[in-house]
Amino acid sequence: MSTVTDELVLEALNEIKNQETGKSVVEHGLIQGLQIKDGHVGFTIEIEPSEAEAMEPLRKACEEIVFDLPGVLSVTAVLTAHSGDDGHGHDHDHDHGHDHAPAAPAAPAQGNEMDIPGVKTVIAVASGKGGVGKSTVSVNLALGLAANGLKVGLMDADVYGPSLPRMMGIGGTPHTPDGKYMMPMSNYGVEVMSMGFLVPEDSPMIWRGPMVMSALEQLLRDVKWGDLDVLVCDLPPGTGDAQLTMAQRVPLTGVVVVSTPQDVALADARKGIAMFDKVSVPTLGLIENMSYFICPHCGDRTEIFSHGGAKDEAVRRGIEFLGEIPIDPHLRETSDTGTPITAKEPDHAISQVFIEIARKVAEKIKSTEAEAAAAAPKIVIQ
């Protein structure tokens, strides 16, 4: 793997120009605090406080051009603004030595992970595209882990479309004992936190990337989760800011990827797996949802979206295939009514599939953490 150097990063950033002046961000002296560690690159872009929104495309362009460099695993560029304490303007063409404050919430470089007290393990459930039943899987996976004897939390990271309050049958607003921390809501023995508890269900979240990242950090860091064996994070679909924030700022043990069998869904699932590979988050396994349909009247099996694509993809990539979930009206009904099937009917055939998948995930968590511990450097005192 190629070695990433300051010179290579600055050379790439020199291609990003200010359209008004024709000068690059490097020539303007906007790039500060460049740090490179094991392929992970972080730096700040100094701007005026009023420019935060207008400069967001430039920040993304800087991240993208550096990410394309050989050997780069992740990039985090943060907009910063002069605090204005001394009452004069901010000229970017020389070094001031002033203190700077973030212009917008953003995630620091990987390795600076937030602390989540009491939580032993954090895993994510992801999908490359929407409409594959990821949240239904997240809920029943969490309940399956609880059925396997673990203390489980469930965090709804889909800020734009939070669905876990409805699926878990929880209403109301989280209690805050001190005005600083929130207590998670609870049902079926699982601790739950979601933006859906804090805003009306029909209110749209019209937020840009930095606001989403800040909200996710608060939903994790400013919640008293208690002692949990596993915190399951239901990610939004795709490979955007929310997914990168979770991958770079949360100590994820691994990710479970959900897909339907057809080629279109699998193509997007591959992108998700590739993104998590880039930021060194292992894929714990693949789940094929909507795998087949059993007619309740005649018992015939129909493979509506084809069948076996996720298993074939798992075999091809050398990752574990965790199981297949059928299309079943009862699964949809229990999700819509807030009575998830794995909690209310644990002996149902679909519940047993989720419980078995959860058992496999629990085993993968143990083996992944053991491998990480074995790979860690050992200090020998002579």
Side-chain angles (χ1 to χ4, degrees):
M1 184 171 64
S2 301
T3 302
V4 188
T5 64
D6 289 10
E7 290 74 19
L8 287 173
V9 172
L10 292 173
E11 183 179 347
L13 290 171
N14 205 42
E15 299 296 318
I16 305 298
K17 308 287 186 181
N18 183 313
Q19 294 182 351
E20 294 181 1
T21 66
K23 290 185 177 182
S24 73
V25 292
V26 176
E27 292 172 315
H28 274 298
L30 304 184
I31 306 300
Q32 299 293 327
L34 176 59
Q35 293 185 348
I36 302 172
K37 183 178 181 182
D38 299 329
H40 303 292
V41 181
F43 53 90
T44 61
I45 304 171
E46 295 188 358
I47 63 171
E48 294 293 337
S50 61
E51 297 174 339
E53 183 172 338
M55 296 289 277
E56 178 62 14
L58 181 140
R59 183 192 71 80
K60 288 187 176 181
C62 289
E63 282 191 338
E64 289 170 359
I65 199 167
V66 175
F67 188 74
D68 287 338
L69 291 173
V72 172
L73 298 176
S74 71
V75 185
T76 301
V78 181
L79 296 177
T80 65
H82 178 234
S83 60
D85 296 339
D86 48 14
H88 59 70
H90 196 146
D91 180 1
H92 292 301
D93 288 326
H94 61 86
D95 183 14
H96 298 273
H98 297 312
D99 291 334
H100 293 74
Q110 178 159 338
N112 187 16
E113 294 173 338
M114 72 176 77
D115 182 37
I116 309 177
V119 178
K120 295 179 182 177
T121 301
V122 185
I123 66 170
V125 179
S127 66
K129 68 188 299 292
V132 301
K134 173 187 52 58
S135 292
T136 299
V137 170
S138 296
V139 165
N140 286 282
L141 173 61
L143 292 165
L145 289 166
N148 277 276
L150 301 177
K151 294 180 180 179
V152 183
L154 183 58
M155 201 279 280
D156 194 345
D158 193 348
V159 173
Y160 293 115
S163 56
L164 297 194
R166 175 182 289 270
M167 288 186 172
M168 288 293 289
I170 303 175
T173 304
H175 170 63
T176 172
D178 55 7
K180 297 180 180 178
Y181 293 93
M182 294 180 290
M183 304 301 295
M185 310 292 275
S186 180
N187 204 8
Y188 307 116
V190 172
E191 304 296 321
V192 183
M193 180 52 65
S194 170
M195 184 60 68
F197 295 138
L198 306 175
V199 297
E201 188 176 35
D202 57 353
S203 294
M205 302 300 293
I206 308 173
W207 284 0
R208 295 186 182 275
M211 297 175 71
V212 173
M213 290 185 280
S214 178
L216 289 179
E217 290 199 19
Q218 286 186 288
L219 290 177
L220 285 163
R221 184 190 60 233
D222 296 344
V223 173
K224 288 199 175 288
W225 290 102
D227 294 326
L228 297 180
D229 294 311
V230 185
L231 176 61
V232 179
C233 296
D234 178 28
L235 300 184
T239 54
D241 288 332
Q243 291 81 0
L244 283 171
T245 295
M246 297 297 293
Q248 294 178 322
R249 291 286 285 128
V250 179
L252 289 176
T253 296
V255 59
V256 173
V257 177
V258 181
S259 178
T260 48
Q262 73 267 45
D263 291 341
V264 172
L266 286 166
D268 289 324
R270 292 185 194 105
K271 295 176 185 177
I273 293 171
M275 186 208 75
F276 284 105
D277 284 345
K278 273 268 191 181
V279 291
S280 302
V281 175
T283 300
L284 300 176
L286 261 170
I287 294 174
E288 183 169 286
N289 196 28
M290 307 183 196
S291 186
Y292 56 87
F293 173 71
I294 301 294
C295 177
H297 305 294
C298 66
D300 283 351
R301 171 169 167 153
T302 303
E303 295 170 353
I304 298 174
F305 299 116
S306 183
H307 175 261
K311 184 175 184 179
D312 292 343
E313 182 68 19
V315 171
R316 189 179 72 82
R317 288 182 170 271
I319 60 181
E320 184 162 356
F321 179 64
L322 296 169
E324 52 189 38
I325 311 298
I327 299 174
D328 191 296
H330 191 51
L331 177 58
R332 189 268 306 164
E333 291 164 3
T334 55
S335 297
D336 286 348
T337 58
T339 55
I341 193 169
T342 304
K344 299 299 286 187
E345 302 174 51
D347 294 329
H348 193 284
I350 294 178
S351 301
Q352 288 298 305
V353 173
F354 278 117
I355 291 170
E356 175 60 17
I357 288 174
R359 185 194 65 78
K360 292 179 181 178
V361 170
E363 288 299 319
K364 288 294 293 182
I365 290 171
K366 288 181 182 178
S367 62
T368 301
E369 291 179 340
E371 289 172 6
K378 295 179 173 60
I379 299 174
V380 178
I381 300 176
Q382 296 180 335

